[in-house]
Amino acid sequence: GNGVRVAMAEDAALAFARRHNIPCAFSWLSEDVMPAGDPLFTGCPGGLAEISANQVLFRADTILILGGRLDLGTTAFQRHVFGDQAHRIVVDIDQPELDKFGDLPRVDKVRADLHALPEAIAALRNPTSAASPDWLPWCQEVRREYLAEEETRMASDKMNVYNITRIFNGWADHKAWIPASSGYAEETFSRFFQPGVGSRFFNGASLGSMGLGLAHSIGASFSSPHRICCLEADGGIMLNIQELATLVHYGPRGFVIFLLNNNGYESIRASQTRFFGGVAGVDLASGLYIPSFEKLCAAFGLRYLSVDTSAALAALLPTLGADDPPVLVDMHIDQFEYRGPAVKTIRSEERRVGKECRSRWSP
């Protein structure tokens, strides 16, 4: 969890994992602690996740949770069965977080400051690993198989979040990626993004503030040594469009806004369609007007570029210089996109809203 980074203990935790070949799972807030290409990286389990990450979690016999809040999104609203076949050791400095586990069986709750983790690791008297030699290869294989199947299943020539994120993954090293807005700019991008070497990844933990990505990204540009890549969606950025003036005024070099433009509020459209069988206020046809971003950028004095194919985006990225003034890249993406297996909100026969989760092992 992100508590490992807050305690500045990530180097010690990773060194311990590598010494004993321990597979590592991450929350969305901590997934950039280890590059996705590392042999120990198994992904981010949860309610919106690649199936292999959940399979690893539910095959383990011992799970050590370090500074991970295990929120409802991570546990798919089912904390009581999150890795419940395993002996779970939860380490956190916050007692109320530990109290969430109540009296669940096979859970050891340890209130501790993770600043002490390096010292605790150094004090271990038994340096050997109890893991089966087949465990890590199995985790690697199940991840490889799933990602290959996902690529086949989701292959498309369309300009969608899955395809553009795969392009970004090859350009991710040593950059700060900030999809802090709600909706496709955060959830879908976070689902498919693979952290690179030296990259940072900041998303909004609350998953609720549309338009937050731009403000967060501008703030990060004042202190981060990384190039800033802001991920925003067309609907979200309209809620903080005035911040374009702030961006132009300070002009951080190399700053890029990658705008996911799907003509409105796609997440809201999906929810309205599922619950009510119709939509309102989600696009121009249903009452939502979003002006031309090219004209908005001209009004603010911000550079503007537009792409409408994955090939065009791939060709554009190498031309975006680290010393260039800020730019908005308007990416015209497919309006409808399948994000893969996920927990979804449903309405029961009594018209009450609840959560539906398929079997841990099924797509």
Side-chain angles (χ1 to χ4, degrees):
N2 197 51
V4 173
R5 173 181 280 121
V6 172
M8 298 178 289
E10 59 264 45
D11 289 344
L14 293 183
F16 179 76
R18 291 186 172 115
R19 187 180 310 131
H20 299 292
N21 286 327
I22 301 173
C24 299
F26 299 88
S27 68
W28 278 357
L29 287 178
S30 66
E31 68 170 323
D32 59 352
V33 168
M34 175 182 282
D38 193 287
L40 301 181
F41 186 91
T42 66
C44 303
L48 180 59
E50 57 196 54
I51 289 179
S52 59
N54 287 329
Q55 287 177 318
V56 168
L57 186 79
F58 288 112
R59 180 66 68 90
D61 57 24
T62 303
I63 302 172
L64 175 62
I65 302 166
L66 296 174
R69 197 164 63 87
L70 298 191
D71 57 30
L72 297 178
T74 299
T75 60
F77 294 80
Q78 299 180 94
R79 185 179 291 112
H80 59 289
V81 297
F82 188 78
D84 64 331
Q85 83 292 338
H87 174 208
R88 292 164 289 179
I89 307 166
V90 186
V91 183
D92 203 291
I93 195 172
D94 191 355
Q95 187 61 47
E97 291 296 329
L98 296 174
D99 291 342
K100 290 179 180 178
F101 291 90
D103 297 323
L104 293 179
R106 297 181 298 281
V107 176
D108 288 337
K109 296 174 286 186
V110 181
R111 186 178 184 186
D113 187 338
L114 286 173
H115 280 95
L117 184 63
E119 181 181 352
I121 291 173
L124 285 174
R125 297 182 179 180
N126 183 2
T128 61
S129 174
S132 163
D134 298 329
W135 172 230
L136 179 58
W138 182 86
C139 295
Q140 294 170 334
E141 180 63 15
V142 74
R143 175 171 165 79
R144 185 195 66 77
E145 288 181 354
Y146 177 77
L147 292 180
E149 183 276 331
E150 179 179 76
E151 182 176 1
T152 300
R153 171 167 41 87
M154 303 192 69
S156 168
D157 294 330
K158 294 180 179 179
M159 179 77 161
N160 57 29
V161 180
Y162 175 76
N163 283 331
I164 67 175
T165 304
R166 286 166 56 80
I167 295 171
F168 286 143
N169 289 342
W171 194 67
D173 292 1
H174 306 292
K175 298 178 181 69
W177 298 84
I178 307 178
S181 188
S182 181
Y184 270 45
E186 176 168 11
E187 296 173 21
T188 307
F189 184 83
S190 298
R191 165 66 179 85
F192 297 121
F193 183 68
Q194 301 288 316
V197 176
S199 64
R200 288 301 315 272
F201 184 82
F202 300 91
N203 73 343
S206 64
L207 302 179
S209 298
M210 297 179 67
L212 191 61
L214 179 56
H216 272 193
S217 299
I218 294 172
S221 71
F222 284 99
S223 60
S224 174
H226 297 74
R227 266 186 86 178
I228 302 299
C229 300
C230 170
L231 270 294
E232 265 292 6
D234 54 340
I237 200 171
M238 288 299 296
L239 301 186
N240 260 334
I241 198 70
Q242 77 285 348
E243 295 299 349
L244 292 181
T246 308
L247 176 64
V248 171
H249 175 72
Y250 288 101
R253 294 293 172 176
F255 190 108
V256 184
I257 301 172
F258 291 106
L259 188 73
L260 303 176
N261 190 339
N262 55 12
N263 297 313
Y265 297 136
E266 180 51 38
S267 292
I268 298 175
R269 185 201 323 274
S271 296
Q272 289 183 351
T273 300
R274 185 164 61 247
F275 287 132
F276 310 118
V279 298
V282 298
D283 55 18
L284 184 60
S286 60
L288 173 70
Y289 172 67
I290 297 178
S292 162
F293 285 100
E294 183 175 9
K295 293 180 179 179
L296 281 172
C297 286
F300 281 103
L302 177 66
R303 286 198 306 149
Y304 172 87
L305 298 170
S306 177
V307 294
D308 55 13
T309 67
S310 298
L313 177 63
L316 174 66
L317 292 183
T319 71
L320 300 175
D323 293 322
D324 291 347
V327 61
L328 184 146
V329 178
D330 193 356
M331 302 182 298
H332 299 275
I333 65 172
D334 189 46
Q335 192 168 4
F336 305 101
E337 181 173 0
Y338 171 62
R339 296 185 292 183
V343 171
K344 68 178 181 180
T345 305
I346 63 169
R347 291 172 66 178
S348 68
E349 293 181 0
E350 295 80 17
R351 315 293 285 177
R352 291 180 298 183
V353 174
K355 294 292 178 179
E356 178 184 82
C357 182
R358 295 190 179 188
S359 164
R360 309 178 200 177
W361 299 95
S362 75

PDB file of all heavy atoms in Angstrom, residues 226-258:
ATOM      1  N   HIS A 226       9.860  15.124 -12.142  1.00  0.00           N
ATOM      2  CA  HIS A 226       9.415  14.401 -13.328  1.00  0.00           C
ATOM      3  C   HIS A 226       8.667  15.322 -14.296  1.00  0.00           C
ATOM      4  O   HIS A 226       8.131  16.356 -13.901  1.00  0.00           O
ATOM      5  CB  HIS A 226       8.480  13.250 -12.939  1.00  0.00           C
ATOM      6  CG  HIS A 226       9.091  12.200 -12.091  1.00  0.00           C
ATOM      7  ND1 HIS A 226       9.377  12.392 -10.749  1.00  0.00           N
ATOM      8  CD2 HIS A 226       9.485  10.932 -12.368  1.00  0.00           C
ATOM      9  CE1 HIS A 226       9.906  11.298 -10.252  1.00  0.00           C
ATOM     10  NE2 HIS A 226       9.984  10.395 -11.208  1.00  0.00           N
ATOM     11  N   ARG A 227       8.629  14.919 -15.553  1.00  0.00           N
ATOM     12  CA  ARG A 227       7.737  15.567 -16.499  1.00  0.00           C
ATOM     13  C   ARG A 227       6.309  15.244 -16.126  1.00  0.00           C
ATOM     14  O   ARG A 227       5.986  14.113 -15.756  1.00  0.00           O
ATOM     15  CB  ARG A 227       7.998  15.042 -17.912  1.00  0.00           C
ATOM     16  CG  ARG A 227       8.950  15.866 -18.711  1.00  0.00           C
ATOM     17  CD  ARG A 227       9.010  15.346 -20.129  1.00  0.00           C
ATOM     18  NE  ARG A 227       7.968  15.924 -20.960  1.00  0.00           N
ATOM     19  CZ  ARG A 227       7.847  15.655 -22.246  1.00  0.00           C
ATOM     20  NH1 ARG A 227       8.667  14.796 -22.821  1.00  0.00           N
ATOM     21  NH2 ARG A 227       6.898  16.225 -22.944  1.00  0.00           N
ATOM     22  N   ILE A 228       5.408  16.204 -16.255  1.00  0.00           N
ATOM     23  CA  ILE A 228       4.033  16.011 -15.835  1.00  0.00           C
ATOM     24  C   ILE A 228       3.160  15.650 -17.037  1.00  0.00           C
ATOM     25  O   ILE A 228       3.125  16.373 -18.038  1.00  0.00           O
ATOM     26  CB  ILE A 228       3.474  17.276 -15.157  1.00  0.00           C
ATOM     27  CG1 ILE A 228       4.340  17.663 -13.954  1.00  0.00           C
ATOM     28  CG2 ILE A 228       2.029  17.042 -14.734  1.00  0.00           C
ATOM     29  CD1 ILE A 228       4.409  16.618 -12.871  1.00  0.00           C
ATOM     30  N   CYS A 229       2.459  14.533 -16.917  1.00  0.00           N
ATOM     31  CA  CYS A 229       1.494  14.095 -17.917  1.00  0.00           C
ATOM     32  C   CYS A 229       0.134  14.029 -17.242  1.00  0.00           C
ATOM     33  O   CYS A 229      -0.133  13.117 -16.459  1.00  0.00           O
ATOM     34  CB  CYS A 229       1.876  12.728 -18.487  1.00  0.00           C
ATOM     35  SG  CYS A 229       3.497  12.691 -19.301  1.00  0.00           S
ATOM     36  N   CYS A 230      -0.712  14.990 -17.536  1.00  0.00           N
ATOM     37  CA  CYS A 230      -2.041  15.066 -16.935  1.00  0.00           C
ATOM     38  C   CYS A 230      -3.030  14.325 -17.822  1.00  0.00           C
ATOM     39  O   CYS A 230      -3.093  14.559 -19.030  1.00  0.00           O
ATOM     40  CB  CYS A 230      -2.451  16.525 -16.778  1.00  0.00           C
ATOM     41  SG  CYS A 230      -4.188  16.776 -16.325  1.00  0.00           S
ATOM     42  N   LEU A 231      -3.811  13.420 -17.233  1.00  0.00           N
ATOM     43  CA  LEU A 231      -4.874  12.719 -17.945  1.00  0.00           C
ATOM     44  C   LEU A 231      -6.200  13.303 -17.500  1.00  0.00           C
ATOM     45  O   LEU A 231      -6.554  13.221 -16.327  1.00  0.00           O
ATOM     46  CB  LEU A 231      -4.836  11.216 -17.643  1.00  0.00           C
ATOM     47  CG  LEU A 231      -3.990  10.317 -18.537  1.00  0.00           C
ATOM     48  CD1 LEU A 231      -4.549  10.268 -19.944  1.00  0.00           C
ATOM     49  CD2 LEU A 231      -2.542  10.696 -18.499  1.00  0.00           C
ATOM     50  N   GLU A 232      -6.902  13.910 -18.410  1.00  0.00           N
ATOM     51  CA  GLU A 232      -8.227  14.460 -18.112  1.00  0.00           C
ATOM     52  C   GLU A 232      -9.201  14.037 -19.193  1.00  0.00           C
ATOM     53  O   GLU A 232      -8.801  13.681 -20.310  1.00  0.00           O
ATOM     54  CB  GLU A 232      -8.178  15.986 -18.031  1.00  0.00           C
ATOM     55  CG  GLU A 232      -8.007  16.539 -16.623  1.00  0.00           C
ATOM     56  CD  GLU A 232      -9.204  16.306 -15.724  1.00  0.00           C
ATOM     57  OE1 GLU A 232     -10.153  15.603 -16.139  1.00  0.00           O
ATOM     58  OE2 GLU A 232      -9.199  16.822 -14.601  1.00  0.00           O
ATOM     59  N   ALA A 233     -10.480  14.082 -18.871  1.00  0.00           N
ATOM     60  CA  ALA A 233     -11.519  13.801 -19.845  1.00  0.00           C
ATOM     61  C   ALA A 233     -12.252  15.094 -20.191  1.00  0.00           C
ATOM     62  O   ALA A 233     -12.185  16.079 -19.448  1.00  0.00           O
ATOM     63  CB  ALA A 233     -12.490  12.760 -19.307  1.00  0.00           C
ATOM     64  N   ASP A 234     -12.936  15.086 -21.319  1.00  0.00           N
ATOM     65  CA  ASP A 234     -13.576  16.312 -21.793  1.00  0.00           C
ATOM     66  C   ASP A 234     -14.618  16.833 -20.808  1.00  0.00           C
ATOM     67  O   ASP A 234     -14.682  18.031 -20.539  1.00  0.00           O
ATOM     68  CB  ASP A 234     -14.179  16.089 -23.178  1.00  0.00           C
ATOM     69  CG  ASP A 234     -15.134  14.895 -23.249  1.00  0.00           C
ATOM     70  OD1 ASP A 234     -15.050  14.015 -22.370  1.00  0.00           O
ATOM     71  OD2 ASP A 234     -15.948  14.836 -24.187  1.00  0.00           O
ATOM     72  N   GLY A 235     -15.426  15.951 -20.243  1.00  0.00           N
ATOM     73  CA  GLY A 235     -16.425  16.404 -19.285  1.00  0.00           C
ATOM     74  C   GLY A 235     -15.808  16.892 -17.994  1.00  0.00           C
ATOM     75  O   GLY A 235     -16.216  17.920 -17.439  1.00  0.00           O
ATOM     76  N   GLY A 236     -14.793  16.173 -17.504  1.00  0.00           N
ATOM     77  CA  GLY A 236     -14.171  16.545 -16.242  1.00  0.00           C
ATOM     78  C   GLY A 236     -13.450  17.873 -16.297  1.00  0.00           C
ATOM     79  O   GLY A 236     -13.555  18.696 -15.376  1.00  0.00           O
ATOM     80  N   ILE A 237     -12.697  18.110 -17.365  1.00  0.00           N
ATOM     81  CA  ILE A 237     -11.896  19.330 -17.418  1.00  0.00           C
ATOM     82  C   ILE A 237     -12.778  20.578 -17.464  1.00  0.00           C
ATOM     83  O   ILE A 237     -12.358  21.658 -17.037  1.00  0.00           O
ATOM     84  CB  ILE A 237     -10.935  19.305 -18.626  1.00  0.00           C
ATOM     85  CG1 ILE A 237      -9.784  20.290 -18.419  1.00  0.00           C
ATOM     86  CG2 ILE A 237     -11.667  19.569 -19.923  1.00  0.00           C
ATOM     87  CD1 ILE A 237      -8.689  20.177 -19.463  1.00  0.00           C
ATOM     88  N   MET A 238     -14.017  20.426 -17.931  1.00  0.00           N
ATOM     89  CA  MET A 238     -14.911  21.582 -17.978  1.00  0.00           C
ATOM     90  C   MET A 238     -15.237  22.102 -16.580  1.00  0.00           C
ATOM     91  O   MET A 238     -15.597  23.270 -16.414  1.00  0.00           O
ATOM     92  CB  MET A 238     -16.208  21.212 -18.703  1.00  0.00           C
ATOM     93  CG  MET A 238     -16.050  21.032 -20.205  1.00  0.00           C
ATOM     94  SD  MET A 238     -15.473  22.527 -21.046  1.00  0.00           S
ATOM     95  CE  MET A 238     -16.839  23.631 -20.735  1.00  0.00           C
ATOM     96  N   LEU A 239     -15.104  21.255 -15.566  1.00  0.00           N
ATOM     97  CA  LEU A 239     -15.406  21.690 -14.201  1.00  0.00           C
ATOM     98  C   LEU A 239     -14.266  22.485 -13.577  1.00  0.00           C
ATOM     99  O   LEU A 239     -14.421  23.064 -12.503  1.00  0.00           O
ATOM    100  CB  LEU A 239     -15.719  20.465 -13.330  1.00  0.00           C
ATOM    101  CG  LEU A 239     -16.891  19.611 -13.809  1.00  0.00           C
ATOM    102  CD1 LEU A 239     -17.196  18.515 -12.797  1.00  0.00           C
ATOM    103  CD2 LEU A 239     -18.130  20.455 -14.049  1.00  0.00           C
ATOM    104  N   ASN A 240     -13.115  22.493 -14.237  1.00  0.00           N
ATOM    105  CA  ASN A 240     -11.978  23.281 -13.746  1.00  0.00           C
ATOM    106  C   ASN A 240     -11.274  23.975 -14.901  1.00  0.00           C
ATOM    107  O   ASN A 240     -10.069  24.184 -14.866  1.00  0.00           O
ATOM    108  CB  ASN A 240     -10.972  22.381 -13.003  1.00  0.00           C
ATOM    109  CG  ASN A 240     -11.114  22.467 -11.496  1.00  0.00           C
ATOM    110  OD1 ASN A 240     -11.577  23.473 -10.970  1.00  0.00           O
ATOM    111  ND2 ASN A 240     -10.713  21.422 -10.799  1.00  0.00           N
ATOM    112  N   ILE A 241     -12.029  24.353 -15.924  1.00  0.00           N
ATOM    113  CA  ILE A 241     -11.427  24.891 -17.139  1.00  0.00           C
ATOM    114  C   ILE A 241     -10.637  26.167 -16.880  1.00  0.00           C
ATOM    115  O   ILE A 241      -9.698  26.505 -17.611  1.00  0.00           O
ATOM    116  CB  ILE A 241     -12.532  25.131 -18.206  1.00  0.00           C
ATOM    117  CG1 ILE A 241     -11.915  25.259 -19.601  1.00  0.00           C
ATOM    118  CG2 ILE A 241     -13.392  26.338 -17.847  1.00  0.00           C
ATOM    119  CD1 ILE A 241     -11.366  23.967 -20.123  1.00  0.00           C
ATOM    120  N   GLN A 242     -10.982  26.893 -15.791  1.00  0.00           N
ATOM    121  CA  GLN A 242     -10.265  28.135 -15.487  1.00  0.00           C
ATOM    122  C   GLN A 242      -8.803  27.886 -15.155  1.00  0.00           C
ATOM    123  O   GLN A 242      -7.965  28.786 -15.271  1.00  0.00           O
ATOM    124  CB  GLN A 242     -10.954  28.875 -14.333  1.00  0.00           C
ATOM    125  CG  GLN A 242     -10.703  28.309 -12.941  1.00  0.00           C
ATOM    126  CD  GLN A 242     -11.469  27.034 -12.642  1.00  0.00           C
ATOM    127  OE1 GLN A 242     -12.381  26.687 -13.404  1.00  0.00           O
ATOM    128  NE2 GLN A 242     -11.137  26.353 -11.567  1.00  0.00           N
ATOM    129  N   GLU A 243      -8.464  26.656 -14.774  1.00  0.00           N
ATOM    130  CA  GLU A 243      -7.076  26.365 -14.421  1.00  0.00           C
ATOM    131  C   GLU A 243      -6.147  26.370 -15.636  1.00  0.00           C
ATOM    132  O   GLU A 243      -4.922  26.378 -15.486  1.00  0.00           O
ATOM    133  CB  GLU A 243      -6.991  25.014 -13.702  1.00  0.00           C
ATOM    134  CG  GLU A 243      -7.692  24.957 -12.357  1.00  0.00           C
ATOM    135  CD  GLU A 243      -7.132  25.927 -11.334  1.00  0.00           C
ATOM    136  OE1 GLU A 243      -6.058  26.523 -11.582  1.00  0.00           O
ATOM    137  OE2 GLU A 243      -7.760  26.103 -10.283  1.00  0.00           O
ATOM    138  N   LEU A 244      -6.709  26.378 -16.832  1.00  0.00           N
ATOM    139  CA  LEU A 244      -5.859  26.541 -18.009  1.00  0.00           C
ATOM    140  C   LEU A 244      -5.130  27.875 -17.967  1.00  0.00           C
ATOM    141  O   LEU A 244      -3.996  27.999 -18.445  1.00  0.00           O
ATOM    142  CB  LEU A 244      -6.689  26.425 -19.290  1.00  0.00           C
ATOM    143  CG  LEU A 244      -7.271  25.041 -19.607  1.00  0.00           C
ATOM    144  CD1 LEU A 244      -8.055  25.098 -20.916  1.00  0.00           C
ATOM    145  CD2 LEU A 244      -6.179  23.993 -19.679  1.00  0.00           C
ATOM    146  N   ALA A 245      -5.784  28.890 -17.393  1.00  0.00           N
ATOM    147  CA  ALA A 245      -5.127  30.192 -17.237  1.00  0.00           C
ATOM    148  C   ALA A 245      -3.932  30.080 -16.282  1.00  0.00           C
ATOM    149  O   ALA A 245      -2.863  30.666 -16.524  1.00  0.00           O
ATOM    150  CB  ALA A 245      -6.130  31.229 -16.725  1.00  0.00           C
ATOM    151  N   THR A 246      -4.108  29.332 -15.203  1.00  0.00           N
ATOM    152  CA  THR A 246      -3.001  29.116 -14.261  1.00  0.00           C
ATOM    153  C   THR A 246      -1.848  28.394 -14.949  1.00  0.00           C
ATOM    154  O   THR A 246      -0.674  28.742 -14.770  1.00  0.00           O
ATOM    155  CB  THR A 246      -3.488  28.287 -13.053  1.00  0.00           C
ATOM    156  OG1 THR A 246      -4.656  28.877 -12.506  1.00  0.00           O
ATOM    157  CG2 THR A 246      -2.408  28.187 -11.987  1.00  0.00           C
ATOM    158  N   LEU A 247      -2.197  27.383 -15.745  1.00  0.00           N
ATOM    159  CA  LEU A 247      -1.171  26.607 -16.447  1.00  0.00           C
ATOM    160  C   LEU A 247      -0.377  27.486 -17.406  1.00  0.00           C
ATOM    161  O   LEU A 247       0.859  27.451 -17.425  1.00  0.00           O
ATOM    162  CB  LEU A 247      -1.834  25.456 -17.199  1.00  0.00           C
ATOM    163  CG  LEU A 247      -0.918  24.590 -18.056  1.00  0.00           C
ATOM    164  CD1 LEU A 247       0.106  23.865 -17.199  1.00  0.00           C
ATOM    165  CD2 LEU A 247      -1.741  23.590 -18.874  1.00  0.00           C
ATOM    166  N   VAL A 248      -1.069  28.284 -18.183  1.00  0.00           N
ATOM    167  CA  VAL A 248      -0.389  29.146 -19.146  1.00  0.00           C
ATOM    168  C   VAL A 248       0.448  30.204 -18.437  1.00  0.00           C
ATOM    169  O   VAL A 248       1.569  30.532 -18.860  1.00  0.00           O
ATOM    170  CB  VAL A 248      -1.422  29.812 -20.080  1.00  0.00           C
ATOM    171  CG1 VAL A 248      -0.757  30.879 -20.958  1.00  0.00           C
ATOM    172  CG2 VAL A 248      -2.105  28.767 -20.955  1.00  0.00           C
ATOM    173  N   HIS A 249      -0.054  30.721 -17.318  1.00  0.00           N
ATOM    174  CA  HIS A 249       0.669  31.769 -16.589  1.00  0.00           C
ATOM    175  C   HIS A 249       2.022  31.264 -16.084  1.00  0.00           C
ATOM    176  O   HIS A 249       3.050  31.946 -16.236  1.00  0.00           O
ATOM    177  CB  HIS A 249      -0.180  32.257 -15.420  1.00  0.00           C
ATOM    178  CG  HIS A 249       0.524  33.258 -14.547  1.00  0.00           C
ATOM    179  ND1 HIS A 249       0.764  34.551 -14.944  1.00  0.00           N
ATOM    180  CD2 HIS A 249       1.055  33.140 -13.291  1.00  0.00           C
ATOM    181  CE1 HIS A 249       1.410  35.199 -13.986  1.00  0.00           C
ATOM    182  NE2 HIS A 249       1.588  34.368 -12.971  1.00  0.00           N
ATOM    183  N   TYR A 250       2.035  30.056 -15.497  1.00  0.00           N
ATOM    184  CA  TYR A 250       3.296  29.545 -14.927  1.00  0.00           C
ATOM    185  C   TYR A 250       4.125  28.776 -15.952  1.00  0.00           C
ATOM    186  O   TYR A 250       5.346  28.695 -15.823  1.00  0.00           O
ATOM    187  CB  TYR A 250       2.999  28.673 -13.706  1.00  0.00           C
ATOM    188  CG  TYR A 250       2.546  29.487 -12.519  1.00  0.00           C
ATOM    189  CD1 TYR A 250       1.197  29.574 -12.174  1.00  0.00           C
ATOM    190  CD2 TYR A 250       3.467  30.192 -11.745  1.00  0.00           C
ATOM    191  CE1 TYR A 250       0.767  30.334 -11.104  1.00  0.00           C
ATOM    192  CE2 TYR A 250       3.052  30.956 -10.663  1.00  0.00           C
ATOM    193  CZ  TYR A 250       1.701  31.029 -10.349  1.00  0.00           C
ATOM    194  OH  TYR A 250       1.295  31.790  -9.288  1.00  0.00           O
ATOM    195  N   GLY A 251       3.491  28.199 -16.951  1.00  0.00           N
ATOM    196  CA  GLY A 251       4.187  27.589 -18.070  1.00  0.00           C
ATOM    197  C   GLY A 251       5.209  26.523 -17.734  1.00  0.00           C
ATOM    198  O   GLY A 251       6.346  26.602 -18.228  1.00  0.00           O
ATOM    199  N   PRO A 252       4.888  25.500 -16.933  1.00  0.00           N
ATOM    200  CA  PRO A 252       5.873  24.457 -16.632  1.00  0.00           C
ATOM    201  C   PRO A 252       6.310  23.726 -17.904  1.00  0.00           C
ATOM    202  O   PRO A 252       5.479  23.337 -18.723  1.00  0.00           O
ATOM    203  CB  PRO A 252       5.121  23.516 -15.681  1.00  0.00           C
ATOM    204  CG  PRO A 252       3.673  23.762 -15.952  1.00  0.00           C
ATOM    205  CD  PRO A 252       3.565  25.213 -16.318  1.00  0.00           C
ATOM    206  N   ARG A 253       7.610  23.564 -18.061  1.00  0.00           N
ATOM    207  CA  ARG A 253       8.146  22.970 -19.279  1.00  0.00           C
ATOM    208  C   ARG A 253       7.830  21.481 -19.363  1.00  0.00           C
ATOM    209  O   ARG A 253       7.880  20.758 -18.358  1.00  0.00           O
ATOM    210  CB  ARG A 253       9.654  23.186 -19.337  1.00  0.00           C
ATOM    211  CG  ARG A 253      10.060  24.651 -19.472  1.00  0.00           C
ATOM    212  CD  ARG A 253       9.633  25.198 -20.828  1.00  0.00           C
ATOM    213  NE  ARG A 253       9.820  26.649 -20.934  1.00  0.00           N
ATOM    214  CZ  ARG A 253       9.585  27.341 -22.038  1.00  0.00           C
ATOM    215  NH1 ARG A 253       9.145  26.716 -23.121  1.00  0.00           N
ATOM    216  NH2 ARG A 253       9.763  28.649 -22.050  1.00  0.00           N
ATOM    217  N   GLY A 254       7.520  21.048 -20.575  1.00  0.00           N
ATOM    218  CA  GLY A 254       7.257  19.630 -20.809  1.00  0.00           C
ATOM    219  C   GLY A 254       5.897  19.155 -20.362  1.00  0.00           C
ATOM    220  O   GLY A 254       5.568  17.974 -20.499  1.00  0.00           O
ATOM    221  N   PHE A 255       5.061  20.038 -19.836  1.00  0.00           N
ATOM    222  CA  PHE A 255       3.742  19.687 -19.291  1.00  0.00           C
ATOM    223  C   PHE A 255       2.800  19.338 -20.449  1.00  0.00           C
ATOM    224  O   PHE A 255       2.670  20.092 -21.408  1.00  0.00           O
ATOM    225  CB  PHE A 255       3.193  20.870 -18.501  1.00  0.00           C
ATOM    226  CG  PHE A 255       1.960  20.589 -17.694  1.00  0.00           C
ATOM    227  CD1 PHE A 255       2.040  20.524 -16.308  1.00  0.00           C
ATOM    228  CD2 PHE A 255       0.715  20.417 -18.288  1.00  0.00           C
ATOM    229  CE1 PHE A 255       0.900  20.306 -15.538  1.00  0.00           C
ATOM    230  CE2 PHE A 255      -0.414  20.186 -17.543  1.00  0.00           C
ATOM    231  CZ  PHE A 255      -0.320  20.128 -16.154  1.00  0.00           C
ATOM    232  N   VAL A 256       2.122  18.177 -20.351  1.00  0.00           N
ATOM    233  CA  VAL A 256       1.187  17.753 -21.382  1.00  0.00           C
ATOM    234  C   VAL A 256      -0.150  17.382 -20.749  1.00  0.00           C
ATOM    235  O   VAL A 256      -0.199  16.622 -19.775  1.00  0.00           O
ATOM    236  CB  VAL A 256       1.705  16.537 -22.174  1.00  0.00           C
ATOM    237  CG1 VAL A 256       0.730  16.200 -23.306  1.00  0.00           C
ATOM    238  CG2 VAL A 256       3.093  16.798 -22.729  1.00  0.00           C
ATOM    239  N   ILE A 257      -1.230  17.936 -21.270  1.00  0.00           N
ATOM    240  CA  ILE A 257      -2.574  17.473 -20.929  1.00  0.00           C
ATOM    241  C   ILE A 257      -3.006  16.512 -22.027  1.00  0.00           C
ATOM    242  O   ILE A 257      -3.147  16.908 -23.191  1.00  0.00           O
ATOM    243  CB  ILE A 257      -3.589  18.622 -20.848  1.00  0.00           C
ATOM    244  CG1 ILE A 257      -3.171  19.660 -19.803  1.00  0.00           C
ATOM    245  CG2 ILE A 257      -4.983  18.079 -20.504  1.00  0.00           C
ATOM    246  CD1 ILE A 257      -4.043  20.916 -19.825  1.00  0.00           C
ATOM    247  N   PHE A 258      -3.191  15.257 -21.678  1.00  0.00           N
ATOM    248  CA  PHE A 258      -3.751  14.289 -22.609  1.00  0.00           C
ATOM    249  C   PHE A 258      -5.248  14.214 -22.336  1.00  0.00           C
ATOM    250  O   PHE A 258      -5.669  13.720 -21.295  1.00  0.00           O
ATOM    251  CB  PHE A 258      -3.098  12.923 -22.435  1.00  0.00           C
ATOM    252  CG  PHE A 258      -1.658  12.877 -22.874  1.00  0.00           C
ATOM    253  CD1 PHE A 258      -0.631  12.825 -21.947  1.00  0.00           C
ATOM    254  CD2 PHE A 258      -1.338  12.877 -24.219  1.00  0.00           C
ATOM    255  CE1 PHE A 258       0.691  12.785 -22.350  1.00  0.00           C
ATOM    256  CE2 PHE A 258      -0.020  12.830 -24.640  1.00  0.00           C
ATOM    257  CZ  PHE A 258       1.003  12.784 -23.711  1.00  0.00           C
TER     258      PHE A 258
END
